Amino acid sequence: MKEIVIATNNQGKLKELKEILAEYELLTLNDVNCKIEVEEDQETFEGNSKKKAKEISKVTGKPAIADDSGLCIEAFQGWPGVYTARFLGEKASQEERNQAILEKMKNLKGKQRKAKVVCVITYCENGKCILAKGEIEGKIAIEPRGENGFGFDSIFELDNGKTYAQLSEREKNTMSHRKRAIENLKKQLTSQ
C-alpha cells in the first residue's frame, strides 16, 4: 500500500481524507515525526496547497498531499476565501468566525446569501505536483445548524436545505468539495 503524508494537523480534515482515500496508507505529520508548520501566506487556494505539499514532501522524502479550502461568499467578492480560517486572527475560534460571518450577512436575503466552498488539493512527489479542485454551491444559513463536521459546516447550507453539519460523515463524504477535489486528483494520478 502506497504511503502518503497528509500535510495537516486538522483532525476533522484528516478523518475525512482517511475515509475517502482508504486505499492508501495515510500518514500524519506526527507519524513521520515532522514538526514543521508551513505558513499559508499565498494569495490563492492553489498557492497555499502547492506550497504545503511541496515542502512536506521535500522534508519527509515521501509523497505528500496538502489542501487549502475555504468559504467564498458571492456578495463579498469571494470573501473570506483563503482567509476563512484566519480572518479574525489566529486565536479566534470557529464559532467566533461563524458568528462574524452571520453578523456581516444579517441584512442579506435569498440569493444575496449565495456562497460556495472550494477545495484545492495538491499531490507532490519528487518535486512534481498535481493540483485538483472541487467546489460545491450553496448559501450561508441564517443561523448555525447541526452537530457534525468542523469549520464553517454549521453555516454552509446546501440546495437540499441542510447544512454540512446536519449531514452524517458518510453523506458529506459522498458529495463534499473535498470529495470532489480528491476524485479529481485520483483521476489524474491513475491516468499517469
Side-chain angles (χ1 to χ4, degrees):
M1 189 179 288
K2 186 169 188 165
E3 291 183 344
I4 301 173
V5 178
I6 304 301
T8 188
N9 289 312
N10 180 313
Q11 291 306 304
K13 269 187 198 178
L14 193 58
K15 191 174 181 184
E16 196 173 348
L17 285 166
K18 281 187 172 185
E19 188 169 311
I20 296 169
L21 291 172
E23 68 271 29
Y24 295 97
E25 184 176 348
L26 302 183
L27 304 172
T28 67
L29 294 173
N30 284 338
D31 292 338
V32 294
N33 201 26
C34 182
K35 303 289 184 216
I36 67 165
E37 188 76 32
V38 181
E39 186 181 359
E40 294 182 347
D41 57 2
Q42 303 298 298
E43 297 288 317
T44 63
F45 296 122
E46 291 84 356
N48 281 330
S49 174
K50 187 174 181 181
K51 180 182 179 187
K52 287 189 288 186
K54 220 174 187 177
E55 192 142 336
I56 296 299
S57 179
K58 186 177 176 182
V59 168
T60 63
K62 296 182 180 294
I65 288 177
D67 84 309
D68 194 27
S69 55
L71 184 63
C72 301
I73 301 169
E74 194 173 284
F76 303 124
Q77 295 73 48
W79 176 89
V82 294
Y83 305 105
T84 299
R86 302 181 300 282
F87 73 90
L88 281 181
E90 300 290 336
K91 302 271 190 251
S93 71
Q94 189 54 58
E95 290 75 26
E96 289 169 325
R97 287 189 292 273
N98 288 347
Q99 283 304 318
I101 290 169
L102 293 175
E103 179 63 26
K104 186 169 180 152
M105 297 189 71
K106 67 182 177 189
N107 296 322
L108 301 181
K109 308 272 187 255
K111 290 185 179 181
Q112 295 175 316
R113 300 185 76 81
K114 193 173 176 185
K116 66 182 176 182
V117 285
V118 176
C119 176
V120 175
I121 290 185
T122 302
Y123 172 89
C124 275
E125 185 173 11
N126 299 322
K128 293 184 179 158
C129 297
I130 299 170
L131 274 76
K133 188 175 185 177
E135 55 183 59
I136 192 162
E137 303 268 333
K139 66 180 183 179
I140 303 301
I142 300 296
E143 61 186 14
R145 296 192 320 270
E147 301 299 319
N148 300 324
F150 60 97
F152 51 79
D153 287 358
S154 66
I155 64 168
F156 183 70
E157 186 177 308
L158 302 162
D159 290 339
N160 66 9
K162 288 184 174 182
T163 66
Y164 259 177
Q166 291 176 304
L167 303 176
S168 69
E169 278 182 48
R170 187 174 301 273
E171 287 174 306
K172 183 181 176 190
N173 289 345
T174 63
M175 48 69 74
S176 75
H177 57 298
R178 192 166 286 108
K179 168 74 170 181
R180 291 176 181 189
I182 292 168
E183 285 177 347
N184 184 344
L185 180 65
K186 274 187 186 177
K187 282 178 196 166
Q188 293 183 65
L189 288 173
T190 54
S191 69
Q192 288 189 333

